[in-house]
Amino acid sequence: GTNVPLLRQFFNLMPSRRAWAAQSQQPPEFLIDQFFNVPGVGLVVAGTLLSGVVSLNHVLAMGPNNVGKFNTVTVKSIHHMRTAVPALLPGQTGAFVVRSRTKEHVKNFGVRKGMVLLEGTEEPRATRTFACDVLVLHSQTTMRVNYQPILYARNVRQCVRIAAMDKEVLRTGVRARVTFEFMYRPEFLQQGTKVLFTEGKTKAIGTIRELLG
């Protein structure tokens, strides 16, 4: 098409919705969206860096696995836009070649979508139960305790169960404080994260207010 370079220039000049430069001083947090094994290279994880700067030989904690454990890995290679780079900056998408820092092979870590890479010097904790302020956008049925929708929060996608709530039932337009529990495995969440719940035609949005354990 005509004037495509001008359109690209326009997109590059548009201001970002987030101040990514200020995030470079924070500890690294990388969301894993994809992973694959490359013969002769090893495990490659791809995703988005939300905060911090990740450079070569950076030590990071990868997890949580199915039991909520984080494993320590070393970044051996970094690619951004299909080009090898010395570091990945906040807001950029990229791919890391990671190696285990223990005798256990990285293939045995149970890598999956929804995991994160965090600063290796910290001790991150996975969450199974959390409280949310929820607004029901649309529901053809009433939701009660033990209702099981699908949760979407950043790169996390998993079925959850309503463990408790401050209303007897949830219907369209109702706001409530709801306690959810992951059905299959703990995940890494943070307070203030926006979430979406769906089940059939039922849709609700919310914000994580408290991590309970």
Side-chain angles (χ1 to χ4, degrees), residues 70-134:
F70 285 78
N71 297 282
T72 307
V73 297
T74 302
V75 177
K76 289 298 184 180
S77 175
I78 303 174
H79 277 70
H80 171 60
M81 303 292 288
R82 300 185 179 181
T83 304
V85 294
L88 196 68
L89 303 178
Q92 293 181 338
T93 58
F96 301 149
V97 175
V98 294
R99 302 277 172 81
S100 172
R101 291 180 60 84
T102 64
K103 293 183 179 180
E104 187 178 7
H105 198 278
V106 72
K107 290 182 180 179
N108 299 326
F109 288 171
V111 183
R112 57 178 175 81
K113 295 179 182 179
M115 279 186 168
V116 294
L117 287 169
L118 304 171
E119 183 60 63
T121 58
E122 298 182 355
E123 294 185 0
R125 294 181 59 186
T127 300
R128 182 173 286 274
T129 308
F130 57 98
C132 270
D133 286 339
V134 172

Side-chain angles (χ1 to χ4, degrees), residues 31 114 130 132 148-160 180 182 187-189 193-200 202-208:
L31 305 183
F130 57 98
C132 270
Q148 297 179 8
I150 302 296
L151 163 80
Y152 299 86
R154 301 196 302 183
N155 62 334
V156 173
R157 301 167 185 83
Q158 192 184 151
C159 182
V160 294
F180 290 100
F182 285 116
E187 302 280 5
F188 179 77
L189 300 175
T193 300
K194 303 295 183 182
V195 296
L196 169 69
F197 304 97
T198 64
E199 198 276 320
T202 299
K203 291 181 176 62
I205 58 174
T207 304
I208 296 176

Side-chain angles (χ1 to χ4, degrees), residues 45-87:
V45 294
T48 305
L49 184 64
L50 294 187
S51 63
V53 177
V54 176
S55 53
L56 292 174
N57 297 317
H58 204 132
V59 177
L60 298 171
M62 182 172 68
N65 59 15
N66 288 337
V67 295
K69 179 184 175 183
F70 285 78
N71 297 282
T72 307
V73 297
T74 302
V75 177
K76 289 298 184 180
S77 175
I78 303 174
H79 277 70
H80 171 60
M81 303 292 288
R82 300 185 179 181
T83 304
V85 294

